[in-house]
């Protein structure tokens, strides 16, 4: 692998480019016209314009991305996260064009991209799953009888959904049939697939996940993470390892995640996600993400493993360079996703030019950023500016370090979510691990002006 095409933008494009350079691999990043002056375009060895600002005409344009990679003489394509990273058709087209796809085979992406099929695969691998339908809900089946067996409350989920989308809650039997019809129509319109399935709803659930690596024959895990602090199903704060998990639960989700990767013949980096019920002290499978995760730095901090480097090595050599015995865990890491949003105005996006930017520095502090002072934050894409990561010997020290790092961060010219992060990290519920995935919405004072 001599030349890598980065099919993404923002901080993950910068992150991939820097690791590739350390490995002696030249990089080309595809950018939209709106991102011509971006940090990613400056950091990569080359950049090429894919199209105008709308993602559908640039970052999501299969032909534009593959043509640019081929014309620039690239050997491989790294999709990062989001955009085309979990698009099985695109992955297949990259390989058909004679390029190395830095990710799992299209078949694995397709299987795990269908949540009903992923549930079935998890069940076969011995991964604990929530009570629900074995596969897609048959339109001819007696949904009322099936739901009674599962129990209320429950959720109707789009088989092709993901990222918090395609989920509808049902509190009792009177809502079920109308909700299923609505969910099927919505799934067809949004995902192009009307199939749905039913699953037991876990109240006050925590969101935990396991990082896995595989090369098709060897498979390992790199520990677990907790991503429970969310706003509208979008992760806000992540930490590793997941705190306050019983030892048997931690062992089960780690080992069963490796087994799921083995059953799939998985290649590259993947994340197996679970809901943890703190009342029952049980974890159950949600989905598998077949790409690098936004929150991968906290795993890197507690293991010392560069996950992007491992992705590139597996894609090129086809062999996992690590064994489970090589993985050792050290300390605790916390990541805050800093977005260009106004917490005092219902988190409305805050595009504009960054006037002053100063990140904190010091031992245990890491910033993965897609912007610099003077960068223009456009309204066209996801609002995340950077990830502020701290690593310390233990969780209480990491919380203190994160609060200090946030206080030392200076961003002028736009609004950011830093005030919200400071409020969340200072909450006793966070310190006591009493928060859950709906905490921000259900704690009344969290929605007040920051």
């Amino acid at each position: 692998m001599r030349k890598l095409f980065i099919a993404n933008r923002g901080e993950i494009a910068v992150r991939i480019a820097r690791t590739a350079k350390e490995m002696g691999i030249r990089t080309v990043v595809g950018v939209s016209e709106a991102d011509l002056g971006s940090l990613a375009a400056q950091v990569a060895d080359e950049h090429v314009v894919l199209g105008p600002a709308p993602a559908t005409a640039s970052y999501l344009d299969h032909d534009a991305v593959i043509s640019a990679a081929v014309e620039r003489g690239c050997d491989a394509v790294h999709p990062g996260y989001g955009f085309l990273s979990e698009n099985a058709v695109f992955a297949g087209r990259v390989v058909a064009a004679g390029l190395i796809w830095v990710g799992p085979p299209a078949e694995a992406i397709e299987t795990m991209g269908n949540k009903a099929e992923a549930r079935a695969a998890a069940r076969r691998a011995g991964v604990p799953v929530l009570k629900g339908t074995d596969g897609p809900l048959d339109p001819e089946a007696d949904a009322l009888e099936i739901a009674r067996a599962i129990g209320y409350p429950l959720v109707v989920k789009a088989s092709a959904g993901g990222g918090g989308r395609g989920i509808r809650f049902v509190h009792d039997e009177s809502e079920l049939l109308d909700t299923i019809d609505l969910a099927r129509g919505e799934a067809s319109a949004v995902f192009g697939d009307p199939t749905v399935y039913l699953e037991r709803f876990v109240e006050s659930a925590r969101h935990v996940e396991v990082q896995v690596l595989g090369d098709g024959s060897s498979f390992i895990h790199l520990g677990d993470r907790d991503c429970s602090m969310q706003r509208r199903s979008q992760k806000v704060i992540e930490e590793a390892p997941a705190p306050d998990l019983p030892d048997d639960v931690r062992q089960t989700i780690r080992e069963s995640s490796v087994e799921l990767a083995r059953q799939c013949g998985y290649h590259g980096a993947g994340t197996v996600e679970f809901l943890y019920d703190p009342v029952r002290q049980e974890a159950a499978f949600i989905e598998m993400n077949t790409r690098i995760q936004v929150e991968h730095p906290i795993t890197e901090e507690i293991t010392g493993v560069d996950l992007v480097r491992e992705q590139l090595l597996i894609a090129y050599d086809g062999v996992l360079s690590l064994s489970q015995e090589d993985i050792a865990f050290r300390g605790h890491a916390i990541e805050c996703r800093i977005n260009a949003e106004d917490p005092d105005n219902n988190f409305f996006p805050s595009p504009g030019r960054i006037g002053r930017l100063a990140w904190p520095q010091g031992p245990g502090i890491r910033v993965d950023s897609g912007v610099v002072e003077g960068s223009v934050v456009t309204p066209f894409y996801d609002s995340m500016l950077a990830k502020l990561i701290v690593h310390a010997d233990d969780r209480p020290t990491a919380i203190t370090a994160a609060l200090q790092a946030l206080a030392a961060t200076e961003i002028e010219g736009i609004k950011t979510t830093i005030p919200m992060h400071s409020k969340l990290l200072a909450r006793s519920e966070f310190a006591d691990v009493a928060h859950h995935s709906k905490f921000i919405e259900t704690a009344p004072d969290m929605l007040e002006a920051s």
Side-chain angles (χ1 to χ4, degrees), residues 72-152:
R72 292 299 178 107
C74 294
D75 308 297
V77 174
H78 195 310
Y81 53 71
F83 289 135
L84 297 171
S85 62
E86 292 182 287
N87 188 304
V89 173
F90 177 70
R93 290 192 61 187
V94 167
V95 174
L99 301 166
I100 298 169
W101 168 250
V102 184
E107 295 78 15
I109 297 174
E110 189 168 15
T111 297
M112 289 302 160
N114 184 297
K115 302 303 179 281
E117 288 186 22
R119 256 179 69 92
R123 194 187 297 274
R124 290 194 297 271
V127 180
V129 299
L130 286 171
K131 194 172 184 179
T133 50
D134 290 337
L137 179 64
D138 186 338
E140 302 301 319
D142 187 340
L144 291 172
E145 183 179 343
I146 293 170
R148 290 185 195 118
I150 296 170
Y152 294 92

Side-chain angles (χ1 to χ4, degrees), residues 174-196:
S174 66
E175 305 172 356
L176 181 67
L177 297 181
D178 286 344
T179 302
I180 290 173
D181 287 342
L182 189 63
R184 281 180 170 143
E186 186 178 61
S188 180
V190 176
F191 304 111
D193 180 353
T195 60
V196 298

Side-chain angles (χ1 to χ4, degrees), residues 11 81 206-209 224-231 233-243 271 273 289 291 293-299 301-302 332-339 384 386-391 395 398-399 402 420-421 424-425 430 435 440:
E11 67 83 20
Y81 53 71
R206 283 172 51 200
H207 185 129
V208 299
E209 59 189 33
D224 42 78
R225 302 184 285 250
D226 187 298
C227 309
S228 300
M229 198 61 87
Q230 302 179 12
R231 178 180 172 273
S233 299
Q234 299 299 308
K235 298 169 185 175
V236 173
I237 296 173
E238 300 105 345
E239 55 183 319
T271 300
E273 302 199 354
N289 290 309
R291 53 171 166 77
Q293 290 280 91
V294 176
E295 58 271 23
H296 74 272
I298 51 177
T299 292
E301 291 301 311
I302 66 168
H332 198 88
I334 294 175
E335 173 180 295
C336 297
R337 299 190 188 188
I338 299 176
N339 292 351
M384 189 170 67
K387 301 178 301 196
L388 175 59
I389 304 111
V390 298
H391 181 231
R395 187 172 187 264
I399 293 174
M420 179 190 67
H421 287 295
L424 290 171
L425 288 170
F430 186 77
H435 61 296
I440 294 177

Side-chain angles (χ1 to χ4, degrees), residues 148-419:
R148 290 185 195 118
I150 296 170
Y152 294 92
L154 55 78
V155 288
V156 182
K157 291 187 173 182
S159 295
R165 302 179 68 194
I167 301 173
R168 288 195 168 267
F169 297 90
V170 180
H171 301 284
D172 57 55
E173 191 166 286
S174 66
E175 305 172 356
L176 181 67
L177 297 181
D178 286 344
T179 302
I180 290 173
D181 287 342
L182 189 63
R184 281 180 170 143
E186 186 178 61
S188 180
V190 176
F191 304 111
D193 180 353
T195 60
V196 298
Y197 63 98
L198 307 183
E199 193 173 75
R200 180 173 72 85
F201 174 64
V202 181
E203 298 192 60
S204 301
R206 283 172 51 200
H207 185 129
V208 299
E209 59 189 33
V210 176
Q211 177 71 61
V212 295
L213 287 174
D215 63 10
S217 58
S218 298
F219 310 90
I220 64 171
H221 72 78
L222 289 91
D224 42 78
R225 302 184 285 250
D226 187 298
C227 309
S228 300
M229 198 61 87
Q230 302 179 12
R231 178 180 172 273
R232 296 180 180 174
S233 299
Q234 299 299 308
K235 298 169 185 175
V236 173
I237 296 173
E238 300 105 345
E239 55 183 319
D244 199 28
L245 271 189
D247 289 343
D248 61 329
V249 173
R250 195 183 306 276
Q251 181 176 351
T252 295
I253 64 173
R254 288 179 174 183
E255 292 180 355
S256 64
S257 295
V258 172
E259 185 56 33
L260 179 58
R262 191 184 315 281
Q263 292 268 342
C264 297
Y266 197 80
H267 284 75
T271 300
V272 185
E273 302 199 354
F274 298 83
L275 283 182
Y276 173 64
D277 185 340
V279 176
R280 300 189 183 194
Q281 294 193 334
E282 296 174 347
F285 174 80
I286 311 174
E287 62 182 350
M288 183 176 188
N289 290 309
T290 53
R291 53 171 166 77
I292 194 79
Q293 290 280 91
V294 176
E295 58 271 23
H296 74 272
I298 51 177
T299 292
E300 294 182 330
E301 291 301 311
I302 66 168
T303 62
V305 175
D306 184 327
L307 288 171
V308 173
R309 181 177 185 275
E310 294 307 315
Q311 282 187 295
L312 294 172
L313 288 174
I314 292 169
Y316 175 62
D317 291 331
V319 178
L320 185 61
S321 68
L322 301 166
S323 67
Q324 195 64 63
E325 291 70 29
D326 294 324
I327 307 303
F329 302 103
R330 181 178 63 85
H332 198 88
I334 294 175
E335 173 180 295
C336 297
R337 299 190 188 188
I338 299 176
N339 292 351
E341 299 171 353
D342 185 356
D344 295 340
N345 186 23
N346 198 31
F347 296 88
F348 199 77
S350 180
R353 185 178 295 276
I354 298 175
R356 170 170 168 72
L357 176 61
W359 297 116
Q361 298 181 354
I365 296 175
R366 167 179 169 179
V367 178
D368 283 15
S369 175
V371 296
V372 293
E373 194 167 278
S375 289
V376 175
V377 180
T378 72
F380 304 110
Y381 315 110
D382 183 89
S383 60
M384 189 170 67
L385 302 173
K387 301 178 301 196
L388 175 59
I389 304 111
V390 298
H391 181 231
D393 290 338
D394 53 50
R395 187 172 187 264
T397 307
I399 293 174
T400 300
L403 284 165
Q404 292 173 343
L406 289 167
T409 302
E410 298 179 42
I411 304 178
E412 297 178 1
I414 59 172
K415 299 285 188 178
T416 75
T417 52
I418 288 176

